[in-house]
Amino acid sequence: MLFRSRGVDLKDLQDVINWSAGGSLAAQGNLAGQLLGLGISRTVMMNHGGSGWDTHQNNDATQSQSWESLFGGLLDTADRFATLPGRGGGTLLDETVFVVMSEMGRTPALNNGDGKDHWPYTSVLVMGPGLRGGRVIGATDEFYYGERIDFETGDVYRNGRDLTVGNLGATLLSIAGVDPGDFVPGVAPISAVLL
């Protein structure tokens, strides 16, 4: 019955929502703002292909334009969300957590062709309400392998824990007010970033 109700809601909104969002991050952000603001969705996944991220040569020259486009699109989306009413009385920006990540890591150092090869570690940018921002959690050692951290402080700590995607998921659940133990039992959130 819930799905039928959702289907009716979406059909009623077919002429209200601009479904023809282009491929740019700003256009996707406009559609995301409509869907989140109307309560149609609680999460939205957007894609930023840029001019290509899989650069094994000339990394800086190739990716500079992609980085500018990514951060410009994020800023446009955040600015747009700051003008839209949220579901709880503030703005949509006050209620939205942004997660920027890739499904694959890249080596921290450049290879012989000034590019970056595939690597089992990646970076994630998280911003929004419920977070203690302005800091970096995690590090790599002299061989570029992930260091263990203390989840309470966020500091590198030899006797700490490995930082995994499960910990990121538990942290995002905590930000949303959901007990991560219900979904990822035994996986700790990174409490150093939580307010």
Side-chain angles (χ1 to χ4, degrees):
M1 195 62 162
L2 174 65
F3 293 117
R4 179 170 167 71
S5 173
R6 284 280 196 191
V8 170
D9 290 346
L10 287 172
K11 188 174 181 181
D12 290 344
L13 293 169
Q14 68 184 345
D15 295 325
V16 175
I17 295 174
N18 178 8
W19 295 100
S20 62
S24 76
L25 205 53
Q28 292 176 63
N30 285 334
L31 177 57
Q34 292 177 68
L35 298 174
L36 294 168
L38 290 169
I40 293 172
S41 180
R42 292 181 49 126
T43 63
V44 176
M45 184 180 291
M46 302 186 317
N47 177 44
H48 181 270
S51 58
W53 294 101
D54 195 11
T55 55
H56 295 272
Q57 295 183 358
N58 298 323
N59 191 74
D60 291 344
T62 307
Q63 289 193 2
S64 292
Q65 188 175 19
S66 292
W67 284 113
E68 292 298 322
S69 174
L70 171 65
F71 290 121
L74 282 172
L75 181 59
D76 288 346
T77 300
D79 287 346
R80 173 87 173 121
F81 281 26
T83 67
L84 298 172
R87 307 283 293 165
T91 68
L92 194 54
L93 184 62
D94 297 329
E95 301 174 356
T96 304
V97 174
F98 293 82
V99 179
V100 180
M101 65 182 293
S102 172
E103 80 285 1
M104 127 181 28
R106 306 299 276 181
T107 54
L110 294 174
N111 63 22
N112 291 340
D114 289 330
K116 293 195 171 196
D117 298 315
H118 300 193
W119 194 247
Y121 298 95
T122 192
S123 299
V124 178
L125 178 136
V126 183
M127 62 185 193
L131 291 163
R132 189 175 296 130
R135 63 180 307 179
V136 174
I137 304 292
T140 55
D141 65 17
E142 67 272 16
F143 302 107
Y144 305 119
Y145 290 102
E147 295 268 24
R148 291 175 164 243
I149 64 166
D150 179 325
F151 281 25
E152 299 297 319
T153 66
D155 297 330
V156 172
Y157 179 54
R158 183 187 337 191
N159 295 324
R161 301 182 217 175
D162 291 326
L163 187 56
T164 69
V165 70
N167 302 119
L168 173 63
T171 303
L172 295 174
L173 288 169
S174 294
I175 293 167
V178 175
D179 181 359
D182 292 343
F183 297 93
V184 284
V187 178
I190 308 159
S191 55
V193 300
L194 300 173
L195 289 177

